[in-house]
Amino acid sequence: MTSRQRTGSFDGPTTAQRLRWAANLLNGSTLAGLAVALAARTRISCGPRGMVIAAGYRWRLPFAHAYTLGNVVLCRSTVEELVSHPTLLGHEERHCSQYAWCLGLPFIPLYLAAAAWSVLRTGNPGTANIFERRAGLAAGGYPLTGRRT
């Protein structure tokens, strides 16, 4: 346990979160997220753990309540609503890390391929999607099992 954890002060991001922020900034995925957020005319604010929250996303695609581009979480709700759902926010934070591990924007075609595979196997884009499974299916609102219809 670090001294920060012992004292209960969680004001700033951890070293790992700062490294993720830097990686996603350098690989261009966070800049892409900010560009989409600005184009969609969302309300941008600093979120917890090095994330940026772009609230009020109204474009039709993707259909999800929230999705991530780099360290930017675009959501249809307000910042307060998203932050009040720590499980969903944690799910989106794991996607931030996945962008860093995939070296940025290559995450998108990899994710789409995994979603297509999941649809073929289960009938929905999340259940068999390795990225959603690693981020937590239930936390992201995906069914734990699926059936091809």
Side-chain angles (χ1 to χ4, degrees):
M1 198 178 271
T2 67
S3 61
R4 175 186 279 180
Q5 289 170 325
R6 272 180 261 144
T7 61
S9 172
F10 293 101
D11 294 340
T14 65
T15 300
Q17 291 162 346
R18 283 198 288 291
L19 287 172
R20 180 184 63 214
W21 170 262
N24 285 337
L25 193 61
L26 290 171
N27 68 36
S29 59
T30 293
L31 294 176
L34 290 170
V36 170
L38 289 170
R41 297 183 178 193
T42 62
R43 186 172 182 181
I44 299 170
S45 59
C46 292
R49 302 183 301 274
M51 291 182 285
V52 174
I53 298 176
Y57 179 82
R58 297 286 176 245
W59 288 359
R60 290 179 52 144
L61 294 175
F63 300 113
H65 174 73
Y67 76 99
T68 304
L69 282 170
N71 271 42
V72 180
V73 179
L74 295 108
C75 65
R76 298 185 184 284
S77 64
T78 65
V79 173
E80 296 77 21
E81 288 172 327
L82 180 62
V83 171
S84 73
H85 291 91
T87 305
L88 177 59
L89 195 58
H91 174 89
E92 297 304 330
E93 182 179 10
R94 286 185 283 282
H95 286 314
C96 294
S97 297
Q98 291 169 350
Y99 271 95
W101 283 109
C102 291
L103 305 178
L105 297 177
F107 173 80
I108 295 171
L110 292 169
Y111 180 91
L112 292 174
W117 172 251
S118 181
V119 168
L120 287 172
R121 292 201 53 223
T122 68
N124 73 68
T127 300
N129 181 328
I130 187 68
F131 296 106
E132 293 299 346
R133 293 185 74 76
R134 299 252 170 138
L137 289 176
Y142 294 100
L144 300 178
T145 61
R147 291 189 185 181
R148 183 87 173 102
T149 55

